[in-house]
Amino acid sequence: MTTETLPTATLPPPRPGPDWLPDPGTYGAAPDRCIVELTARLGPLTTLRRRLTALDATLTVAPDSDDCVLSLELAGRLLGGRTLTFVSTSLTPTDEATRLHVPGELALAGPAEVVFGFRVVERTADRLLVLGTLRLPYRPLRRRTGLTLPRFRPAARIRLLVAAEFTCPA
């Protein structure tokens, strides 16, 4: 009877930063991998639903800290040639890192402080797939940002839906 020593697997060193984010770097979402939809609702009825085009969607993960920057730049016919932007400087995990609260600034003609709620669908070392919604009352949003809907489309609430796959350093 002989004793044999089996090789042990070496584990990679732990990544800096939280486990709910990909490796440090700048990640982009290709326009065909980023879906943005704006919905206007009046009571239980949807009065308007339009897709917006993501001109730019980036996620920057800092190497040594929890500071992250998420930025979206959106355009569409509904916006009248203007660009709707969202910029955040922090991502806060909740529910054991399956959900993220992303406070930031939504701006069109003027800024408004908002909080996106994102659900992490999938995360790997070089990819993050998220689905997020933002629900806001229409009148305060219109006053602060200048977002106006057509007169024949009444609304009490606005929902912005974002599904994005942030991959490979941009």
Side-chain angles (χ1 to χ4, degrees), residues 14-158:
R15 291 185 301 120
D19 289 335
W20 44 270
L21 289 174
D23 289 339
T26 301
Y27 297 84
D32 63 336
R33 304 300 289 170
C34 185
I35 298 170
V36 182
E37 182 179 88
L38 183 98
T39 306
R41 296 184 61 96
L42 183 63
L45 303 174
T46 298
T47 59
L48 177 72
R49 179 174 284 145
R50 293 284 186 268
R51 286 269 174 107
L52 299 177
T53 303
L55 301 175
D56 183 39
T58 58
L59 172 67
T60 303
V61 180
D64 294 328
S65 68
D66 296 341
D67 294 334
C68 300
V69 176
L70 174 67
S71 66
L72 299 170
E73 191 174 324
L74 310 169
R77 197 177 81 197
L78 178 66
L79 302 176
R82 298 179 292 175
T83 303
L84 181 66
T85 59
F86 174 77
V87 177
S88 175
T89 56
S90 67
L91 291 106
T92 307
T94 60
D95 300 334
E96 299 175 10
T98 59
R99 297 198 181 273
L100 302 172
H101 285 174
V102 185
E105 189 174 271
L106 186 68
L108 188 61
E113 295 295 320
V114 297
V115 177
F116 253 107
F118 281 100
R119 181 171 60 93
V120 177
V121 177
E122 187 176 335
R123 187 204 67 81
T124 62
D126 62 346
R127 186 171 84 120
L128 184 68
L129 181 61
V130 293
L131 176 66
T133 56
L134 173 66
R135 291 182 176 93
L136 298 168
Y138 173 60
R139 286 185 183 177
L141 182 66
R142 184 183 69 204
R143 275 185 249 132
R144 286 189 179 159
T145 65
L147 176 68
T148 56
L149 299 177
R151 290 180 96 60
F152 57 90
R153 302 290 185 163
R157 294 181 318 251
I158 296 290

